[in-house]
Amino acid sequence: MPPRSYFLWKKEIDKTETKKKGRKTSPENKLSSKEKEEVVNVLLRNEWADYSPREIYYKLIDEEKRIIASPATFYRIAKNADLLTRRSKTNANRPLNREKPHLVATGPNQVWSWDVSQIKSECRSVRFYLYVIVDIWSRLVVGWALEDHEKSEHAIIMWKKALEDQYITGNGLINHKDNGAIMTSHEMIKFVRDAQMVDSYSRAGVSDDNPFSESLFGTIKTFRTFPGSFFGLESGREYFKNYFHDYNYCYKHSRIQFITPAERHYGEETKILDSRNETINKFYATHSHRYAKVAKKFTPIIEVKIN
């Protein structure tokens, strides 16, 4: 080894070893645990739940003439406390749901997923709200409603009708939804408890935990006949009445092997798939040269899961 290379490498190693690794002691201006708790309490105030940490910092100065910490510290504490997600007023006094749901359906009327989505009207300042319940096992839309307001009362009426239409009481049925205002309202929680259903929530800020409802709304709003907006509630209700009938009884769903949700929900799946396999096998017997592999065999889907 050339001497110059040796001393050059040794110099670099000595620099690395003597380089400061970081602060050895806590800074004198470090916030105490009591001050950090005070910042968290300020962030969770009901009246400030919709404001960003920076906005809360300046509101504290302007309205109460006091400073607890810098805006950067507000953000750092908010991040550590998982408070940078939506802090809606309904969630301000309770911890955010962080538990990952694990749901399995092996038949109809075991797990129902529901959500609410905004629908445009011809008037820019008016929005309609589409409530939809879907059975995750069969993809059947078991209940829906189009209203001009987002209220727990509308959701409860829709749920009662859906249970009646399916001739079930709701006992043991899993009621899965996100953390929206009406889903977490006292009225809705009481209804679920009285009907002896099982409550299930998505994690806060994780849309993938409610994939069946999210996917259904995507299908609805990109369907070829969807007008984009409606003149009034009645025209919207008439459209969705026809749409959901066709969706349940005519639409060949790709995720359930191209049979309709109603056929799977009401026990026709095995019969249809057996008939399909018979037709395919007959064709394969005389045209096997057209296949690179053996003919596909359709079998019923046993389980449907969330996460």
Side-chain angles (χ1 to χ4, degrees), residues 131-146:
Y131 304 65
V132 182
I133 310 172
V134 60
D135 185 307
I136 74 166
W137 187 79
S138 64
R139 309 309 202 273
L140 186 82
V141 173
V142 293
W144 68 274
L146 184 68

Side-chain angles (χ1 to χ4, degrees), residues 101-105 111 113 136 176 208-212 304-307:
H102 294 280
L103 307 177
V104 180
V111 182
S113 170
I136 74 166
H176 184 65
D208 289 347
D209 281 356
N210 200 8
F212 296 94
V304 177
K305 300 179 180 180
I306 292 181
N307 291 329

Side-chain angles (χ1 to χ4, degrees), residues 83-301:
L83 296 177
L84 288 182
T85 55
R86 182 182 294 275
R87 304 186 315 278
S88 63
K89 294 179 181 178
T90 55
N91 293 336
N93 288 328
R94 66 181 179 84
L96 293 174
N97 176 38
R98 298 296 181 191
E99 186 176 350
K100 187 175 182 179
H102 294 280
L103 307 177
V104 180
T106 58
N109 299 330
Q110 293 181 3
V111 182
W112 286 5
S113 170
W114 69 288
D115 203 352
V116 183
S117 184
Q118 289 190 12
I119 302 295
K120 293 180 181 179
S121 74
E122 296 292 337
C123 178
R124 290 183 62 185
S125 61
V126 177
R127 289 288 186 274
F128 301 134
Y129 296 88
L130 180 63
Y131 304 65
V132 182
I133 310 172
V134 60
D135 185 307
I136 74 166
W137 187 79
S138 64
R139 309 309 202 273
L140 186 82
V141 173
V142 293
W144 68 274
L146 184 68
E147 304 291 346
D148 54 1
H149 289 91
E150 191 174 3
K151 292 182 179 179
S152 303
E153 294 82 8
H154 298 321
I156 292 172
I157 291 171
M158 172 189 66
W159 267 89
K160 287 181 177 179
K161 186 177 184 305
L163 293 172
E164 290 175 3
D165 290 345
Q166 292 298 310
Y167 303 101
I168 58 175
T169 62
N171 185 15
L173 173 66
I174 296 177
N175 183 320
H176 184 65
K177 62 271 188 182
D178 60 23
N179 294 271
I182 64 172
M183 288 77 169
T184 56
S185 66
H186 294 296
E187 296 86 354
M188 195 68 212
I189 292 173
K190 183 179 183 302
F191 168 74
V192 172
R193 189 187 304 117
D194 291 344
Q196 297 182 321
M197 289 187 279
V198 180
D199 247 337
S200 174
Y201 293 93
S202 304
R203 287 169 292 177
V206 183
S207 61
D208 289 347
D209 281 356
N210 200 8
F212 296 94
S213 292
E214 297 291 343
S215 175
L216 177 58
F217 281 124
T219 301
I220 291 170
K221 294 181 179 181
T222 57
F223 195 66
R224 59 183 177 274
T225 61
F226 184 67
S229 61
F230 297 95
F231 179 76
L233 269 179
E234 293 307 317
S235 62
R237 287 168 177 166
E238 185 63 26
Y239 170 82
F240 285 115
K241 178 182 178 182
N242 296 327
Y243 175 83
F244 286 125
H245 180 273
D246 290 345
Y247 179 87
N248 284 337
Y249 294 95
C250 304
Y251 177 64
K252 299 289 188 180
H253 202 295
S254 62
R255 301 301 294 175
I256 51 175
Q257 305 186 94
F258 292 95
I259 63 175
T260 68
E263 289 169 341
R264 178 167 164 84
H265 193 84
Y266 296 115
E268 297 294 320
E269 179 183 28
T270 302
K271 178 182 176 181
I272 293 170
L273 295 183
D274 287 345
S275 176
R276 187 181 295 176
N277 287 333
E278 184 179 350
T279 302
I280 292 173
N281 290 335
K282 285 181 180 179
F283 183 82
Y284 180 77
T286 55
H287 299 81
S288 58
H289 60 282
R290 294 191 184 181
Y291 290 80
K293 300 179 180 178
V294 296
K296 181 176 180 179
K297 183 179 180 180
F298 290 89
T299 57
I301 300 170

